[in-house]
């Protein structure tokens, strides 16, 4: 299993280069794509395609070649094979046949982004790509809304705005989000902000939605470390959409979270939009 660069060709390790030059065969996700990389390094190897649609059948064929003594490297289009990329079925089959599998570790968008995000509370949950369909994506995200630690997603440029929109609508606005774009490439950027700010930032420049993304979201706060005022505001925000008046909602949120009722009430007056009868007809008694 040989990791290849996620953008910057200089990130191919000397060991990866040596192994790719000496194996009998390189199984590659996209042979045309990988031949560019190999040419750049002057490697002339036999290539065979192994992608998600033919992995099951190719794996059987590769196992027989491995058993015959051939040394085979597996690479993907970018980064580490089998991380949101094909490869794990072949590896599982190799283990089953007691064929040694070794890894030449190196670039991965996952580790690169976690490393640069400054958000690495454990556990780090790597989700990979969310479902492309809105309903399924939202269902997955709802299921993750109370997950603590750090959430890591891969996302394509044509879906980034929609995906971020879902994060904004389903997670508390104070959560930190880190958008890691085009890492190791010419236009790489790492933007860290709160969910409350992210859509305005994305809308600020069309270049900000271009390229490949790793999206890292701060997980739910540790129960013991929850600030009652922050939690109170979150609950109050939810309750403000109900028929409760601001005063009633502040009282309920204070009871639920232990935050100070007056602090919540005053915050709601300044920050929450509410119907006339809510604020107008209720005073903080
Ligand atoms: N196996 C790869 C790895 O180890 O990172 C990931 C392959 S997955 C099919 C491709 C996704 O990884 C992209 O859609 C993007 O979410 C992320 N990605 C790959 N290269 C990236 C880069 N240079 N910057 C940011 N994200 C990247």
């Amino acid at each position: 299993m040989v990791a290849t660069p996620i953008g910057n060709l200089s990130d191919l390790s000397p060991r990866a280069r040596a192994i790719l030059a000496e194996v009998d065969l390189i199984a590659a996700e996209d042979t045309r794509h990988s031949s560019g990389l190999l040419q750049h390094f002057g490697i002339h190897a036999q290539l065979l395609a192994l992608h998600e649609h033919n992995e099951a059948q190719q794996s059987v064929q590769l196992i027989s070649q491995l058993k015959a003594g051939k040394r085979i490297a597996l690479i993907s289009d970018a980064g580490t094979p089998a991380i949101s990329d094909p490869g794990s079925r072949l590896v599982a089959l190799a283990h089953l046949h007691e064929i040694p599998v070794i890894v030449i570790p190196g670039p991965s968008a996952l580790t690169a982004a976690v490393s640069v995000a400054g958000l690495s509370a454990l556990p780090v949950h790597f989700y990979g790509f969310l479902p492309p369909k809105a309903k399924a994506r939202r269902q997955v995200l709802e299921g993750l809304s109370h997950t603590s630690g750090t959430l890591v997603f891969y996302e394509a440029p044509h879906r980034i705005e929609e995906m971020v929109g879902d994060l904004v609508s389903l997670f508390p606005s104070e959560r930190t989000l880190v958008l890691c774009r085009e890492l190791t490439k010419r236009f790489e950027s790492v933007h860290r902000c709160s969910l409350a700010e992210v859509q305005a930032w994305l809308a600020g420049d069309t270049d900000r939605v271009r390229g490949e993304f790793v999206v890292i979201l701060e997980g739910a706060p540790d129960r013991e470390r929850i600030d009652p005022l922050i939690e109170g505001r979150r609950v109050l925000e939810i309750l403000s959409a109900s028929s409760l008046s601001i005063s009633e909602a502040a009282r309920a949120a204070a009871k639920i979270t232990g935050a100070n009722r007056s602090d919540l009430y005053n915050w709601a007056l300044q920050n929450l939009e509410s119907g006339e009868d809510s604020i107008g007809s209720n005073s903080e008694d």
Side-chain angles (χ1 to χ4, degrees):
M1 304 296 281
V2 182
T4 59
I6 57 168
N8 190 323
L9 293 184
S10 306
D11 291 337
L12 186 79
S13 76
R15 189 165 165 239
R17 186 175 174 173
I19 292 276
L20 291 175
E22 73 184 44
V23 288
D24 302 303
L25 176 69
I26 299 176
E29 186 181 3
D30 177 341
T31 51
R32 255 198 10 212
H33 177 94
S34 293
S35 60
L37 173 85
L38 299 172
Q39 253 170 35
H40 177 88
F41 288 101
I43 297 169
H44 307 285
Q46 192 191 337
L47 282 168
L48 175 139
L50 181 134
H51 45 72
E52 62 172 316
H53 304 295
N54 73 358
E55 184 172 354
Q57 149 210 346
Q58 289 290 58
S59 295
V60 174
Q61 206 250 0
L62 288 172
I63 292 293
S64 60
Q65 295 203 43
L66 286 163
K67 282 190 146 176
K70 283 211 171 161
R71 289 167 317 153
I72 300 176
L74 177 70
I75 59 177
S76 61
D77 285 355
T80 301
I83 307 290
S84 290
D85 264 342
S88 56
R89 274 194 271 191
L90 173 62
V91 172
L93 205 57
H95 287 303
L96 204 67
H97 286 266
E98 297 182 357
I99 296 165
V101 184
I102 62 161
V103 65
I104 316 297
S108 173
L110 163 62
T111 49
V114 171
S115 158
V116 83
L119 264 189
S120 50
L122 296 174
V124 172
H125 305 272
F126 174 53
Y127 195 86
F129 291 101
L130 285 161
K133 293 217 168 113
K135 193 174 169 206
R137 185 173 56 238
R138 290 175 69 87
Q139 262 172 5
V140 169
L141 289 173
E142 274 163 8
L144 295 172
S145 61
H146 297 295
T147 303
S148 61
T150 304
L151 302 166
V152 185
F153 306 96
Y154 282 167
E155 197 49 276
H158 62 280
R159 267 198 292 270
I160 189 72
E161 283 171 291
E162 217 182 315
M163 183 260 199
V164 165
D166 285 343
L167 296 181
V168 169
S169 66
L170 296 170
F171 290 81
S173 56
E174 64 273 7
R175 290 257 194 113
T176 298
L177 185 77
V178 188
L179 294 176
C180 303
R181 186 172 75 92
E182 296 284 272
L183 294 175
T184 78
K185 300 185 195 175
R186 184 157 169 223
F187 296 109
E188 97 183 280
S189 76
V190 176
H191 183 73
R192 193 182 144 118
C193 63
S194 70
L195 276 180
E197 298 157 322
V198 66
Q199 282 177 310
W201 184 80
L202 278 178
D205 185 338
T206 50
D207 285 344
R208 292 178 185 163
V209 293
R210 294 215 176 108
E212 299 194 274
F213 287 87
V214 181
V215 178
I216 305 195
L217 179 66
E218 179 185 15
D222 197 343
R223 281 284 143 204
E224 284 91 34
R225 289 174 34 224
I226 285 182
D227 177 339
L229 185 59
I230 291 178
E231 185 62 358
R233 288 174 184 170
R234 192 180 74 79
V235 172
L236 187 50
E237 227 171 318
I238 296 167
L239 292 178
S240 70
S242 71
S243 57
L244 292 180
S245 70
I246 287 291
S247 172
E248 288 165 339
R251 186 177 294 122
K255 250 199 175 142
I256 294 167
T257 63
N260 180 284
R261 183 167 59 103
S262 304
D263 288 349
L264 288 181
Y265 180 80
N266 291 330
W267 178 82
L269 287 186
Q270 282 165 21
N271 295 283
L272 296 182
E273 276 189 22
S274 46
E276 278 189 357
D277 58 342
S278 319
I279 293 180
S281 64
N282 286 283
S283 59
E284 221 268 291
D285 47 333

